[in-house]
Amino acid sequence: PWGSELLDPSRAATQAMHAWALAHGWRIAGALGSFPGNEDAQAFARWAAAYAKHDSTDAARLPDLVAPLLADAALRKPARLVAYGFDLIAPQAREFLDACAAQGVEVKVCSQEEISSTPKRLVFPSARRELEAAAEWARAKLECGAQRIGVVVPELAARRREVLRVFARTMNPAHGLPGDASRALPFNTPFNLSLGEPLADTPLAHAALAIFALAAGELSFEQASRLVRSPFLGGGEAEMAPRTRLDAALRKSAPARLTLGKLVGLVEGCPILRQHLEKIFSIPKLETGSPHQWGEHFTRLLDAAGFPGRSLDSAEFQTRAKLNETLAEFARLERVAPKMGAQRALARLERLCRDTLFQPESPAAPVQVLGVLESAGLSFECLWLTGLTDEAWPLAARPNPFLPPALQKKAGIPEASAEETLARGKRITEGWLGAAPEVVLSHPAWEKDRKLVVSPLVSQLDVSPLPEAQAPRWRDLIFAARASESAPDGQAPALATRTPRGGTRILADQAACPFRAFARHRLAAEALEEPLAGPDARARGLLLHALMRELWGELGNSAALASDCAPAIAKAAAAAVAEAKLEEPFANLERQRLAKLANEWLDIERKRAPFEVAAREDKRKLKVAGLEISGRIDRLDKLASGGYALIDYKSGRPTPNAWLGERPDDPQLPLYALSAPEEIAALAYAKLQTGGMKYMGFAREKELVAMAKDWNGLLAGWKRSLEALGAGFAAGEAKVDPKNGLATCRYCDLQPLCRVHERLAALQEEGAEEDDG
């Protein structure tokens, strides 16, 4: 009866499986139905009773199944069993060991040897610096000949990538540099992480799952992009460059989600890729089938894709073997799920790969990076324990939600109560202090701007002074050994043409930062695009301009506003959407949005003095500082009072102040005003924003917008500033000089090229930690 109320059935199943193992391991399974508990405990008791009736067994009940068979002479038994590194032995395991002993098996329970040590405590300014110091210390101990070095990191699963990066950089600084032969960590490194990563996160398994998902339905563009560039798709290395160019092209034309057929149709210039995608497409779709049939289907898809695409290194070879094991395990689900559809089969396999932690086997490493509980009971030559704050140690109590808390506490389950977790924390801490001749305990003092407190289990130790950095980074050594010379880099060769491409955007970029204008309009540097579901901000802007162009093409002048404008609005909205080639349901939503916006805007237009629309999206050649720049006027109105008004449509938050100053943010309209053969009497933004529609700008006389205090002075100021910007661009001015510092650079896509953050310390201003990955 609770099945339909579960918010996350998969997570509930995982918790139920853990509860089942605890119930048998701690001998409380018989009390589940009789011991009082909440609704969760009652639900689990009913599930457990129903599950126990099945004619099958599982890992939780395996010791009880095997124990009676030990007396059978046909069962081969080991001569000796050693229980090593246990903090507590659960009752079920203890009874099984006793049963083994009764049948002549020598059973030994070993505890760590007590080693005399003088521990010291260190406090670091941040968790990153603490981890770096631990890695440097481990390297120093290794260089002194130590062969069993332990580093304990709480929350190792959450920090795995950070730990791997820091230790790899410290132990093997050349990793990742050109010419380094070791592609996969932890191979060729003297350290080992005790915790693997989910199989689904490994590049090879991730590519396989993407192939399955593409064949079953569709992928997001991000997933499809990674698959196209993956070396594990047949011919990936031979077509590396063409596939990279294909990915850049797809970003401009592909939809936000791609089906296999759509992707095949878009592939150009990569014949091997297209061949493999067509092979995948030719395999008949399996709508429903058994897990075994799905396993065979997935294998056929991989073969058609040319998977794994190239010869594998040792880590990748082991990953492929583990993926095959996981597919075989998936095929065995027939016992509980005889039939399933495509999406369910794919979801089950992905879940299995996500739950499977995998770490390639590697040669024995002298440095072991461990989690808190994994280190209990082990001995080392030297040991460093990091992150010992009061939040991380002792561990918080985590009773299983499906077992009555009082029953767990009565059984003595370690994580069931605060008292039990504190007692376990004390035992493990005492074990750490006697686990090696040299023991270092440390914790960070701050987490960003939040002060941290040391764990009460180690607070009695005095704080020792921090060691100096022992393993300088390669970049620091290279910089220190530099033989450098300085040269000004803010001047490029003068522009060779008088007709640059880029339109009025050239002057806007030159005003924002000369390097931005140089990189975009002379080097043609631009960030890769990313398709979005529905129109993005730029596409919506184009829709808006198309709407107004079509609408005033129908109306023509202010006199037409007195009649019914609904037909003209509907026609203009439909034409704008058709021009943008939007697909349903976005097309219908945009038609409705545009029609509503046009209705509201025409109410603003009706309040104006009579006018006539003289030009709509009129293309013009604009001259400034000897350059001829292409431009396009959104709209030019002929005013009844004389002269013309230049109008620019905006959907954001425009301000006429963007036209002012030596480096105007938006010089487009001032440039039009100076270059137009017509007598310009007003410049205005048409703010097309629901709830805030209005005209904003400057005019010779008050009519459309407010009158400028000095119209002629305004024109003269624009001429000076625009001439200076145009002359600077033509002369090759290219210095990194953002107008408003980091505010100008925040949304610029050229930061990796100009590296402005190195001058402005942007990362520090953002409060982000340095990332050396």
Side-chain angles (χ1 to χ4, degrees), residues 78-122:
R80 175 181 297 174
L81 282 177
V82 179
Y84 177 75
F86 281 84
D87 173 46
L88 290 175
I89 299 179
Q92 184 189 46
R94 190 183 306 113
E95 292 172 11
F96 183 78
L97 293 177
D98 292 342
C100 290
Q103 298 301 322
V105 178
E106 183 183 5
V107 176
K108 296 288 185 180
V109 179
C110 295
S111 58
Q112 73 180 51
E113 179 184 358
E114 287 293 334
I115 302 173
S116 177
S117 67
T118 305
K120 63 179 179 179
R121 178 160 70 94
L122 304 177

Side-chain angles (χ1 to χ4, degrees), residues 11-267:
R11 186 168 179 81
T14 300
Q15 290 278 17
M17 182 168 63
H18 182 231
W20 180 255
L22 286 175
H24 286 82
W26 291 87
R27 294 304 191 211
I28 57 175
L32 293 178
S34 57
F35 207 90
N38 59 16
E39 193 176 48
D40 291 336
Q42 295 172 20
F44 177 74
R46 292 183 61 173
W47 296 339
Y51 175 69
K53 296 177 182 178
H54 285 277
D55 184 22
S56 59
T57 194
D58 49 61
R61 295 181 288 181
L62 194 59
D64 299 331
L65 177 68
V66 174
L69 305 178
L70 293 172
D72 194 328
L75 184 65
R76 295 182 58 186
K77 295 177 282 292
R80 175 181 297 174
L81 282 177
V82 179
Y84 177 75
F86 281 84
D87 173 46
L88 290 175
I89 299 179
Q92 184 189 46
R94 190 183 306 113
E95 292 172 11
F96 183 78
L97 293 177
D98 292 342
C100 290
Q103 298 301 322
V105 178
E106 183 183 5
V107 176
K108 296 288 185 180
V109 179
C110 295
S111 58
Q112 73 180 51
E113 179 184 358
E114 287 293 334
I115 302 173
S116 177
S117 67
T118 305
K120 63 179 179 179
R121 178 160 70 94
L122 304 177
V123 182
F124 290 88
S126 68
R128 169 63 68 86
R129 180 62 199 124
E130 178 191 26
L131 192 60
E132 289 174 341
E136 293 166 1
W137 171 87
R139 173 176 169 172
K141 295 301 176 184
L142 187 63
E143 291 173 347
C144 290
Q147 292 298 308
R148 186 160 175 78
I149 305 164
V151 178
V152 177
V153 181
E155 300 179 349
L156 181 57
R159 300 183 67 188
R160 186 181 188 279
R161 293 190 178 184
E162 179 191 10
V163 171
L164 187 62
R165 182 170 60 247
V166 170
F167 273 78
R169 186 193 65 212
T170 304
M171 300 289 182
N172 182 18
H175 174 73
L177 294 181
D180 177 37
S182 61
R183 288 191 301 173
L185 290 172
F187 290 90
N188 299 320
T189 62
F191 72 94
N192 178 64
L193 269 65
S194 65
L195 183 70
E197 64 179 330
L199 180 62
D201 290 346
T202 61
L204 187 140
H206 187 276
L209 292 172
I211 292 170
F212 302 153
L214 183 62
E218 60 181 14
L219 288 179
S220 67
F221 180 82
E222 179 184 0
Q223 293 173 303
S225 170
R226 291 184 64 178
L227 183 59
V228 165
R229 293 179 285 111
S230 172
F232 303 115
L233 203 57
E237 292 188 339
E239 288 185 339
M240 182 185 301
R243 292 187 189 184
T244 301
R245 292 192 290 269
L246 171 65
D247 176 65
L250 289 177
R251 291 173 179 274
K252 299 179 180 179
S253 59
R257 299 194 67 82
L258 284 166
T259 61
L260 177 57
K262 183 73 172 179
L263 181 57
V264 171
L266 291 173
V267 172

Side-chain angles (χ1 to χ4, degrees), residues 5 15 52 63 78 90 214 300 352 395 562 598 626 643 714 763:
E5 299 179 14
Q15 290 278 17
L214 183 62
R300 287 195 296 271
L352 204 57
L395 299 175
L714 195 62
L763 295 180

